[in-house]
Amino acid sequence: MSATIIDGKAVAAEIREGLKLEVEAFKGEFGREPGLAVVIVGEDPASRTYVNSKKKGCAELGMYSEEHTLPEQTTQAELESLVRKLNLDPRIDGILVQLPLPKHIDADAVISTIDPKKDVDGFHPVNIGNLLIGRPCLKSCTPAGIMELIKRSGVDLTGKHAVVVGRSNIVGKPVSVLLLEKHATVTICHSRTKDLAGMCRMADVLVAAVGKARIIKGDWVKPGAVVIDVGTNKVEGSKKLVGDVDFDAAKEVAGWITPVPGGVGPMTITMLMHNTIKAARAIMTGK
Ligand code: NDP
């Protein structure tokens, strides 16, 4: 039997309709649009594509956005000084520093400079700490998007075994915390995990965030499982993207599965918009 495809594009479009109304309401109440500042250092082509989609996303929702493009040789002090300026800018509610940054820049130090109230990527240690202890915070966008997609499967996570492959600070660890918050029993796998296939076979919910094309095979998927594929991997010699899961094989076994592209990707940007509106409201109301 073939899995139900969780269409991230359609879910994102539906959420964005709601966000449009929230932007309208915000404008009515506060007389301005929620504002996002995107900072990009250097000219990495992938980063440029991401930044353009973020700006486009803002425009489509009627939000304000501005871009700060800095040269590759920008110093740590210059970058942190721009972030501090944006922290104080009343037009700006969200600050996003596009990663990766050039090697000479300490990205953690830059992120720590962002006002946690404006940290719409949810990467600041204060937001990560609050996420861990279950306090209100700005949640990182990809993990928040993954949770929305799981919700669409209708599967109640309580008592389910969720297996997350990948333990990065931006996907694997935060999504594990969010799954735990929803009462799943969570196993986190990584490059030193023994018997990855066996771990995956026990998953009622399988989240793959590795960055290796089709590393998760179809026969690693438990029949009926919810499979969320975060990976975006370029196929050599083409512009095609593939996920971490062997989609064609896995969809014959899984109950629900996200495609690549068109799964997690569209949700990440949508959650960024959601976070910016949330940050704007919190700033204006002091809550
Ligand atoms: P990282 O490279 O930071 O982390 C990868 C993780 O995978 C690490 O924890 C690593 O383990 C683990 N890993 C590597 N090889 C193996 C293996 N053979 N077996 C088991 N685990 C392994 O990646 P990110 O978390 O940043 O991203 C993961 C993927 O998700 C990438 O393809 C990225 O492009 C994509 N992504 C997509 C987004 C979207 O919006 N669609 C957003 C963010 C990421 P260890 O810690 O031991 O090294």
Side-chain angles (χ1 to χ4, degrees):
M1 207 185 68
S2 214
T4 302
I5 309 295
I6 309 176
D7 181 346
K9 251 181 161 170
V11 176
E14 192 188 314
I15 294 175
R16 284 181 200 210
E17 282 310 309
L19 294 180
K20 245 187 217 167
L21 300 178
E22 283 186 42
V23 170
E24 274 309 305
F26 182 89
K27 281 199 245 178
E29 266 176 78
F30 304 108
R32 67 169 183 91
E33 302 94 356
L36 175 72
V38 182
V39 180
I40 177 167
V41 184
E43 274 301 335
D44 174 50
S47 294
R48 167 58 42 210
T49 309
Y50 293 136
V51 167
N52 288 346
S53 354
K54 286 162 189 173
K55 277 166 46 192
K56 190 165 158 253
C58 281
E60 280 169 5
L61 296 189
M63 290 164 60
Y64 171 75
S65 76
E66 59 184 40
E67 180 186 326
H68 298 262
T69 306
L70 304 178
E72 180 83 24
Q73 59 276 17
T74 300
T75 64
Q76 183 85 28
E78 284 165 341
L79 181 53
E80 289 183 12
S81 155
L82 170 62
V83 170
R84 284 199 192 91
K85 214 172 94 199
L86 295 169
N87 282 342
L88 300 173
D89 187 338
R91 195 77 197 76
I92 296 302
D93 305 293
I95 302 168
L96 183 145
V97 178
Q98 185 63 48
L99 301 178
L101 288 166
K103 288 204 166 53
H104 65 278
I105 303 269
D106 176 349
D108 287 342
V110 174
I111 289 164
S112 295
T113 311
I114 300 173
D115 180 342
K117 290 199 234 47
K118 296 191 177 186
D119 167 42
V120 283
D121 249 342
F123 293 165
H124 191 286
V126 165
N127 281 314
I128 293 174
N130 281 333
L131 181 79
L132 191 62
I133 60 175
R135 284 213 190 132
C137 63
L138 290 166
K139 296 185 175 116
S140 29
C141 303
T142 303
I146 293 169
M147 296 307 288
E148 280 295 327
L149 292 175
I150 295 174
K151 202 157 113 190
R152 303 296 155 140
S153 73
V155 168
D156 177 6
L157 284 168
T158 306
K160 294 287 182 333
H161 187 189
V163 174
V164 178
V165 190
R167 57 173 165 179
S168 71
N169 290 336
I170 64 166
V171 188
K173 282 182 199 160
V175 81
S176 304
V177 173
L178 293 175
L179 288 161
L180 191 61
E181 196 177 64
K182 293 286 175 201
H183 314 296
T185 300
V186 183
T187 299
I188 307 173
C189 301
H190 45 79
S191 65
R192 321 286 163 89
T193 296
K194 302 223 186 304
D195 190 18
L196 182 62
M199 291 292 171
C200 291
R201 286 189 185 111
M202 292 192 291
D204 300 309
V205 176
L206 179 61
V207 178
V210 184
K212 292 202 168 144
R214 302 186 181 112
I215 185 175
I216 311 286
K217 308 300 173 203
D219 65 355
W220 296 12
V221 173
K222 182 174 171 179
V226 180
V227 178
I228 307 290
D229 191 351
V230 188
T232 49
N233 308 291
K234 280 220 176 93
V235 177
E236 234 176 274
S238 93
K239 281 192 169 167
K240 208 178 153 211
L241 281 185
V242 298
D244 290 342
V245 178
D246 181 350
F247 179 83
D248 290 337
K251 81 173 186 337
E252 297 307 320
V253 190
W256 293 266
I257 190 165
T258 59
V260 176
V264 175
M267 293 301 290
T268 298
I269 295 180
T270 303
M271 290 300 138
L272 174 70
M273 308 291 119
H274 164 85
N275 276 353
T276 305
I277 300 164
K278 183 175 163 180
R281 194 159 271 287
I283 288 168
M284 294 310 284
T285 58
K287 282 182 201 151

